[in-house]
Amino acid sequence: MLEHAFACVESSIQVKKEFLNQGLEPVVQAAEMIAGAMAGSNKLMIFGNGGSAADAQHMAAEFTNRLMLERPPLPALALTTDTSALTAIGNDYHFDQVFVKQIKALGMKGDIALGISTSGGSPNVIKALEAARAQGMLNIGLTGGKIGPMDELCDVMIKTPASAVTSPRIQEIHILVVHIICELVDLKLFGRVK
């Protein structure tokens, strides 16, 4: 058991080192895009499934509350939290429409859609990014290392290293990216992070 736990930590450290070595430019681009939208009275809409849904909620909470800096709330919304909307849309239409309908109802030109998919191929995330683009929104993707349909739909793509082949390693990079983006947005908008 202890050996396996050690191997998990070592694997996580290795993937993070590879992520650092592949460059953080997309993370910085995403933070600058989000900060620019928020400074212009636009909002961030975040969505994904399972662990990615939890990451979407986590990110929205960091913006509407705070990460480390005492500052005004920032406009971010997780499309994964309204169970009535999710179940009504899923029941009346199809599960691949649960984020699309919310994007169409709440998204405006200049807003940002941030789709999170460990596989990069979640149909409801892809369809929501298509809908966001049609609304005049900017798209950010956060995925695993494979090339997929999200690549062509996103203005900025943040990918984990190709060696991150398991969901836990991919999701560990994703939450790190969420925290870095939140800190960089605070730095851009308020000149400091704490």
Side-chain angles (χ1 to χ4, degrees):
M1 295 280 285
L2 185 58
E3 287 179 18
H4 185 75
F6 186 83
C8 288
V9 173
E10 284 288 319
S11 172
S12 183
I13 291 168
Q14 183 59 38
V15 169
K16 287 182 176 89
K17 284 181 180 178
E18 290 174 31
F19 182 69
L20 179 62
N21 290 335
Q22 77 185 26
L24 297 175
E25 289 82 7
V27 178
V28 173
Q29 289 173 340
E32 288 176 341
M33 186 185 295
I34 292 167
M38 290 178 171
S41 299
N42 286 100
K43 65 188 166 297
L44 173 65
M45 301 173 74
I46 319 155
F47 45 91
N49 300 290
S52 299
D55 289 343
Q57 292 170 216
H58 184 142
M59 187 175 205
E62 302 293 19
F63 280 123
T64 58
N65 185 32
R66 67 178 177 90
L67 182 61
M68 296 183 297
L69 175 66
E70 288 297 335
R71 51 135 169 89
L74 297 172
L77 175 66
L79 302 184
T80 56
T81 59
D82 186 338
T83 55
S84 294
L86 294 172
T87 56
I89 296 164
N91 183 62
D92 294 349
Y93 294 92
H94 191 275
F95 190 70
D96 67 6
Q97 296 295 304
V98 294
F99 304 135
V100 169
K101 292 277 227 169
Q102 294 182 77
I103 290 281
K104 288 181 176 180
L106 304 170
M108 299 172 54
K109 185 175 182 176
D111 287 346
I112 296 180
L114 196 159
I116 307 172
S117 174
T118 301
S119 69
S122 303
N124 58 358
V125 172
I126 292 164
K127 287 184 182 296
L129 291 168
E130 291 170 346
R133 178 156 283 170
Q135 296 274 107
M137 297 171 64
L138 297 171
N139 289 343
I140 299 170
L142 183 53
T143 70
K146 297 177 186 174
I147 294 173
M150 286 177 65
D151 290 73
E152 294 183 17
L153 293 170
C154 292
D155 300 286
V156 176
M157 275 298 293
I158 304 168
K159 292 179 171 275
T160 62
S163 65
V165 294
T166 64
S167 292
R169 297 298 88 84
I170 293 168
Q171 290 171 345
E172 288 162 11
I173 294 291
H174 285 183
I175 199 60
L176 175 63
V177 167
V178 163
H179 285 153
I180 293 170
I181 288 174
C182 290
E183 284 196 42
L184 292 177
V185 169
D186 280 356
L187 185 61
K188 181 84 173 173
L189 295 180
F190 303 101
R192 58 195 179 91
V193 294
K194 53 183 168 175

